[in-house]
Amino acid sequence: MTAATGKRALDNAPDAGQRLRLVVCLSLIAIPHALHLPIWVLGLAVPIMIWQFVAALRGWPLPGRWVRFALAAAAFAAVFAGFGRVNGQEAGVSLLVLLLALKLCEIRTHRDAMVFLTLTCFLLATQFLFSQSLAMAVYLVVGTWVIVAAFVDVASAGAPRATLGESARLLVQALPVAVLLFVLFPRIPGPIWGLPADAGASARTGLSDSMSPGSLTNLALDGGVALRARFIDGAVPPAQRYWRGPVLWDFDGRTWSRNDADQRLTGGRLDARSGRRRQVDITLEPTRHDWLIALDVPVAADRPSRLTAGATLRVADDVNERIRYQATSLLGGVLDRDLDARMRRRALLLPVEGNERARELARRWYAQYRQPAEIVNAALRRFRQQPYRYTLSPPATSEAASIDDFLFETRAGFCEHYAGAFTFLMRAAGIPARVVTGYQGAERATVGDYWVVRNSDAHAWSEVWLAGRGWVRVDPTAAVAPERIESGVAASIADRGSLPYMARASGDAWYRVQMLWDGINAGWNRWFLAYGPQLQQRMLDLLGLGGGWGRPLLALTTGVVALLALVSVGIAWRGRRTLDTDAVVAAWRGVCTRLARIGYPRRRDEGARAYARRIAALRPDMAADIESLAQQYTRLRYAPEQVSAAADRDTFIAAARAFRPRRRAPEPRSSRNAL
């Protein structure tokens, strides 16, 4: 193929084999979206792709403009009807999948194929909105390899195996540059672009702003990872592995919750001279909430945050993606040695009526014991001595008297039942108390120096305020099932089989395989996903580029990026497509374009005369016109000495511009008369 022929080939539509490969490429890139998009989206996209696959195999013509317009409008309407909008994470990706499937219906030229593949790259990138795991990263590398191979295939019409090899070679060549930019390019806190409003909507730790009977029981059935922790100063004993989340102050008779009034309370005041400071490196899964989980009572974290009145670390925005931070905690420290009047009122507030039997029990304790600590012990003694059960299947309680039903009737519940009832009793007895939700326990990883905290470790406990001691943690669950604190939830319940597999910590071969994979993922999260400004600074320090190298490093990175940009521009300029300025060629190109629009594109290896003969065989109604144009073009292009340059050129150009092929051939007159 000559250079001129190669340039002209760029105007032609992909052949049947290339169209098949484009359908396969889109199918491979869209497969992971089947895991999180609604089934009806797949029910629309899959038939369209099957239709285009069969059309490419059998040579069916592409649908007309109005058919494509109607299908696109239907896709918009379906997405809007299904989601109530066309933007956002799931709605936007669903619309992109449907429109890309429809884009297959209008790939008529080289440019159409290139636009299609560019949009496919964008679809590939949207996978990170749903998952940033190592497995997804490997899949994205494979997807990039396939898309680059498709680019090579469309541009060069090479054999599939050859294009895959060329794609691999290009990716290997780009790898050093990618690594260099990843390590050196200056990092900024947070993502460059904001995530969609519903990004991470399906990902959460399970904790929420409220707690009612059964809420944490349901979490115990989820074996997913909530966070991974690395104890910098050595692991703490099991009894101290309390991971603090939101603190709940308000009770409406059944549900404990927090509200905006909490923001007006004074932040927790820690006695810095008490307790032991411990630092923990935490990788937190997306929560869709604005708090950070930390060990026991946190002091601070290495990202912007503030300490609330309940001693919870709170950040400015919801945690919609996996984050890594280092939290400093005070084990056994004194929190709020002096309690201000507003916080005391909040910590004693109860509904005006309801749960009268529990109130009466608290009044008897208040009259019987002199010290608040004695009332606390009386409540724990009741849980310890009477036949209370710790179970994942507690009996239902009534809406109006959930505390009474649990304390005096069912006597069976999970941690939220015990923490809620204990806190209610303390407030009814005049002792400031609040509910703390979070996690208790941790499972040591089999690979790597870190600990895994699962959603099944979700826990609730109480804090009571005692004069001179501040807020003191009291876990009534420990009075009923002490093995829950020492050995985890699997060791504390009789119905262990109802727990998720990984929460049972069975230690068998499949468990070890999954822990091995978790270790690999933990390394990925730690060194790649969490590679932010702080980790970059540590990395640069190890490379000897820390300290005062900030400005030189920025200048170096900017220079590298500028150099790469210049090289890219140079390559693009050398490989640019030079348009032929010959009016004869431009006129013939217009003829070919108009024929392609009605379903008769010119093949890459097809000359003008051969193209005209094929069109004449398919469309006898325009045989004379197209063959005459092809003959004139060939003479003007390849035998100019046989023609009168000016007159014949003008005649051909005028005829070519006037050529307007119709989409369908007219019916024979005899057929119309017969009807």
Side-chain angles (χ1 to χ4, degrees), residues 339-369:
L339 195 65
D340 63 56
R342 179 183 294 180
M343 192 178 295
R344 179 182 292 274
R345 285 194 299 270
R346 288 294 304 281
L348 289 172
L349 193 63
L350 285 176
V352 176
E353 57 184 15
N355 297 295
E356 298 303 327
R357 296 174 68 184
R359 294 176 192 264
E360 177 59 29
L361 176 61
R363 284 194 289 268
R364 291 203 308 268
W365 285 343
Y366 180 79
Q368 181 178 357
Y369 301 107

Side-chain angles (χ1 to χ4, degrees), residues 577-593:
R577 178 182 169 190
T578 56
L579 295 177
D580 200 324
T581 57
D582 190 338
V584 171
V585 175
W588 175 250
R589 185 181 295 116
V591 171
C592 296
T593 300

Side-chain angles (χ1 to χ4, degrees), residues 15 22 27 33 65 76 87 108 252 267 273 281 365 367 419 424 532 555 574 602 608 627 637:
D15 57 29
L22 290 177
S27 302
H33 284 306
R65 177 182 304 175
F76 271 93
N87 62 338
R108 302 174 182 274
D252 64 2
R273 296 171 297 179
D281 190 85
W365 285 343
F424 183 93
R574 290 188 59 186
R602 182 182 172 189
E627 288 185 336
R637 188 67 173 162

Side-chain angles (χ1 to χ4, degrees), residues 274-302:
S274 62
R276 292 173 294 126
R277 287 180 177 263
R278 301 299 295 267
Q279 288 187 320
V280 186
D281 190 85
I282 297 175
T283 302
L284 181 66
E285 295 296 310
T287 65
R288 299 284 293 174
H289 293 292
D290 60 351
W291 61 69
L292 303 180
I293 306 296
L295 183 67
D296 200 2
V297 180
V299 176
D302 62 351

Side-chain angles (χ1 to χ4, degrees), residues 219 314 409 614 619:
L219 293 184
R314 191 166 186 176
E409 303 297 335
R614 182 166 63 87
R619 293 288 300 273

